[in-house]
Amino acid sequence: MHRLLLLGSLWLLAADAASSIFQRPTGSPAPPHLQYLLEPLHAAVHTQRGATATLPCVLRALPRNYRVKWSKVEPANYRESIIIITNGLYHKNYGPLSPRVRLRHSHRYDASLTIADVTLEDEGRYRCQLVNGLEDESVSLTLHLEGVVFPYQPSNGRYKFNYHEAKRACEQQDSRLATYQQLYKAWTEGLDWCNAGWVLDGTVHYPIINSREPCGGRLLLPGVRSYGARDKQKDRFDAFCFTSALQGQVYFIRGHLNFKEAGQACHNHGAAIAKVGQLYSAWKFSQLDRCDGGWLADGSVRYPITTPRERCGGLPDPGVRSFGFPSKELRTYGTYCFAGK
């Protein structure tokens, strides 16, 4: 009976907190100095897709009748999604993360959150909150996935996606819409793209390294140019997608194959024709380097270059090169296949 009452109180606490947000209203006072929670040594935890990551939250003392609540901020609306609530003895999990999370609990003061088999959607901001009557306090941490951002447009040309279509398109290519922070980091690492694209928060941007006339003019400084927030239903742009490490392998099959034959060739090897995000991931994390154009699942033809050379496109920088979307009947290319673990 005691455990049922305790779980009931945890449920009520979750209901009360479900509508709260991380950001304080403008002009509200700063949070009080931490009394029970230790400030994390590092505010960000770096990981890759498929790994196990732990977000630290450690108490320096145990107050009476306390609760610890872990939650995640959703980038689209800045609302909290509760993940787990504990009083040190019992805990209750919530939401889609429930099957993959646990408390590390390496000692009695440890309320750190461990996430198994990290997915692309797990990246973001988390909060560990000590609920202790009027003395509530919290620490925030960010889970960063190491990965790669790539621009994406469909076969019928640029600026065809509204926000929801862009989101779906990235997911279909084993990726997700990039965050602005991911796009900015990609720009600092050399991403230069003249077409504007959606990012996860519903804003539209394009990253420019080399200022030029068709891309805002030569006089504008390099940077991530912004169109700001746009109408998610009516406005149409490209997409900036983000992917991380693969749980599997991408490899090339040589041949003169049309699109249908390419898919069958992968199937004959117990694999599937690779998606665009999988090719980018193999290029980024496995240093896949081939001068051969190959079919991908969306009907495009691309090839990954880690060591630029004259006979492989002639461009000076590494990257995934594209032949666009040729006729699917064309028997000119091989295919890239993906075999999962």
Side-chain angles (χ1 to χ4, degrees):
M1 177 62 73
H2 173 71
R3 181 170 183 176
L4 289 175
L5 289 173
L6 180 57
L7 290 176
S9 66
L10 293 180
W11 183 89
L12 287 174
L13 178 60
D16 290 341
S19 61
S20 64
I21 61 173
F22 286 149
Q23 294 182 330
R24 299 191 311 275
T26 303
S28 63
H33 178 72
L34 294 176
Q35 180 180 354
Y36 292 103
L37 293 178
L38 291 173
E39 192 72 42
L41 195 59
H42 302 287
V45 173
H46 294 265
T47 188
Q48 294 180 354
R49 178 167 55 176
T52 296
T54 297
L55 299 168
C57 184
V58 178
L59 286 72
R60 58 164 56 94
L62 301 178
R64 295 183 61 187
N65 301 320
Y66 76 96
R67 305 284 186 271
V68 171
K69 174 172 70 75
W70 274 100
S71 50
K72 183 177 186 290
V73 68
E74 302 300 337
N77 54 22
Y78 295 99
R79 298 181 73 86
E80 284 186 32
S81 294
I82 296 173
I83 300 169
I84 195 168
I85 299 178
T86 181
N87 70 341
L89 296 175
Y90 304 105
H91 69 272
K92 186 171 177 60
N93 292 17
Y94 298 86
L97 271 173
S98 181
R100 296 189 289 113
V101 296
R102 61 179 176 84
L103 294 169
R104 183 174 62 181
H105 207 62
S106 58
H107 52 80
R108 63 195 295 246
Y109 300 101
D110 185 13
S112 303
L113 181 73
T114 295
I115 306 174
D117 193 20
V118 170
T119 70
L120 297 176
E121 290 72 24
D122 294 341
E123 173 154 303
R125 187 179 172 204
Y126 292 76
R127 182 166 72 145
C128 176
Q129 181 183 14
L130 175 73
V131 182
N132 181 36
L134 298 178
E135 301 179 11
D136 295 358
E137 53 189 76
S138 66
V139 293
S140 291
L141 301 106
T142 301
L143 185 65
H144 281 303
L145 269 69
E146 301 296 335
V148 57
V149 172
F150 61 94
Y152 188 76
Q153 57 184 221
S155 59
N156 58 340
R158 70 172 195 159
Y159 294 175
K160 301 298 182 182
F161 295 135
N162 67 23
Y163 172 82
H164 306 287
E165 292 163 345
K167 189 170 183 291
R168 266 195 310 276
C170 289
E171 291 165 357
Q172 289 167 356
Q173 297 308 315
D174 193 49
S175 59
R176 64 172 294 187
L177 271 180
T179 65
Y180 176 80
Q181 290 77 13
Q182 289 166 342
L183 179 62
Y184 186 90
K185 182 174 183 289
W187 168 71
T188 67
E189 295 170 349
L191 182 60
D192 182 285
W193 195 255
C194 203
N195 294 342
W198 294 101
V199 298
L200 189 60
D201 64 2
T203 57
V204 174
H205 312 270
Y206 63 103
I208 295 297
I209 298 289
N210 303 305
S211 298
R212 51 203 186 272
E213 285 306 328
C215 306
R218 297 179 184 275
L219 298 180
L220 282 180
L221 293 174
V224 179
R225 313 272 173 77
S226 178
Y227 287 8
R230 310 297 290 192
D231 189 307
K232 291 183 178 180
Q233 292 288 353
K234 297 179 180 178
D235 289 328
R236 295 187 173 272
F237 298 95
D238 292 345
F240 285 105
C241 304
F242 172 84
T243 192
S244 185
L246 283 174
Q247 302 299 295
Q249 180 187 12
V250 173
Y251 60 91
F252 182 75
I253 295 179
R254 189 182 300 276
H256 298 282
L257 310 170
N258 64 29
F259 177 72
K260 185 176 180 181
E261 292 166 343
Q264 186 60 48
C266 293
H267 180 75
N268 292 344
H269 283 75
I273 189 167
K275 299 178 180 181
V276 177
Q278 291 166 343
L279 185 65
Y280 269 93
S281 180
W283 165 75
K284 174 75 172 181
F285 292 99
S286 303
Q287 288 73 54
L288 184 63
D289 184 290
R290 287 204 69 101
C291 214
D292 306 279
W295 291 103
L296 296 177
D298 66 341
S300 66
V301 173
R302 306 174 196 248
Y303 61 102
I305 296 295
T306 57
T307 305
R309 47 213 187 266
E310 190 61 36
R311 293 188 177 184
C312 297
L315 295 175
D317 300 315
V320 175
R321 319 284 195 233
S322 176
F323 286 115
F325 295 84
S327 168
K328 290 184 176 181
E329 301 304 316
L330 201 61
R331 284 191 171 92
T332 305
Y333 307 105
T335 184
Y336 288 96
C337 304
F338 172 71
K341 287 184 178 178

